[in-house]
Each structure stands twice: as structure tokens, then as C-alpha cells.
Amino acid sequence: MGGVEEIGIREARARLADLVERAGAGQPVVLRRRGPYRNAAALLPVEAVEVWQAYLGSS
């Protein structure tokens, strides 16, 4: 995912406060699971969530 930091969940736990601060500043972070690596979740700025909710509401 170009330009988006990807980080394992274990490391994210140790850096959660920093990652939330960065997401709030507009730098999304994708959280990945172990094993066959796959995306699990994302930390996004609130504005991105509002856009997503508006999109879902318009379908």
C-alpha cells in the first residue's frame, strides 16, 4: 500500500499512542496479522472515517 505504514499488531500495541497521534495527523497505518501476512485493520484520521460513513450512507 504505497505511502501507508504497515505494522504488525504486536508492535502496534507497544507504539499505540504514537500511531494514534500519527493517524490523527493524517498518516494512516495498516495493522497486519502474523502468519500468512494479511491486513487486519487500519488507523485513520477522523476525516477519513467521516468520508467513509458519508459514502456508505449514499449507497
Side-chain angles (χ1 to χ4, degrees), residues 16-47:
L16 185 59
D18 174 56
L19 296 174
V20 169
E21 187 72 27
R22 291 175 65 185
Q27 301 171 6
V29 178
V30 172
L31 305 179
R32 297 185 64 109
R33 293 189 184 276
R34 279 178 40 150
Y37 285 98
R38 60 187 187 272
N39 296 338
L43 296 175
L44 301 170
V46 172
E47 297 82 9

